[in-house]
Amino acid sequence: QGNLNKADILYEVAQQAYNGADHKIAINLLNQAIKLNPSDGCFYYERGHAKDELEDFNGAVEDFTKALSLNPDESLLGNCLHARANTRFFGLNDKKAACEDWSKAAAMGRENSAEYLKEHCQ
């Protein structure tokens, strides 16, 4: 219980660091949170965004994929698919994989994914 609470506090501080554009600090805090609670998909999702900002696109895709593997709830699932698609398309120039992710997210009702799918994949 104590470790889970500590992990949540680290996560909140990491979000503040991320919002302040301290992406390396955010990653460091999220690494600590993940050590304490490795089964929380939100931690990998947020770390993926921070890695994306630092142009570690492969690392970002790994984190989004890890978050997806933890059976997240539907809202995190959609967020991860959309974020992974963006990183694949804009960071890694992997149009095929990006379009697959946007397609899955659009099928879940995510309008921004549907727009990207229409704009970049058809």
Side-chain angles (χ1 to χ4, degrees):
Q1 187 67 39
N3 275 354
L4 297 183
N5 291 344
K6 207 182 287 179
D8 286 338
I9 292 165
L10 287 163
Y11 173 71
E12 283 172 28
V13 178
Q15 283 184 306
Q16 289 166 8
Y18 179 87
N19 292 335
D22 291 323
H23 302 116
K24 285 184 174 150
I25 292 169
I27 289 170
N28 196 346
L29 292 162
L30 289 162
N31 289 343
Q32 295 173 54
I34 287 166
K35 270 192 192 132
L36 295 169
N37 182 9
S39 61
D40 191 323
C42 289
F43 299 168
Y44 297 95
Y45 172 70
E46 291 293 338
R47 190 174 71 177
H49 276 297
K51 288 179 177 178
D52 186 69
E53 290 288 344
L54 295 172
E55 298 186 2
D56 174 8
F57 301 124
N58 287 311
V61 167
E62 272 175 33
D63 275 349
F64 295 138
T65 302
K66 177 67 177 175
L68 288 165
S69 77
L70 295 169
N71 296 327
D73 65 36
E74 195 167 302
S75 112
L76 184 60
L77 181 67
N79 289 348
C80 281
L81 286 168
H82 187 76
R84 186 171 72 176
N86 289 355
T87 300
R88 284 174 159 170
F89 189 86
F90 298 107
L92 296 171
N93 213 10
D94 184 351
K95 181 177 174 178
K96 183 177 180 289
C99 291
E100 285 171 15
D101 282 347
W102 280 325
S103 176
K104 287 178 195 162
M108 296 170 60
R110 280 193 67 112
E111 285 176 25
N112 55 349
S113 296
E115 286 164 21
Y116 279 47
L117 190 63
K118 199 181 269 181
E119 189 178 334
H120 299 295
C121 304
Q122 288 170 356

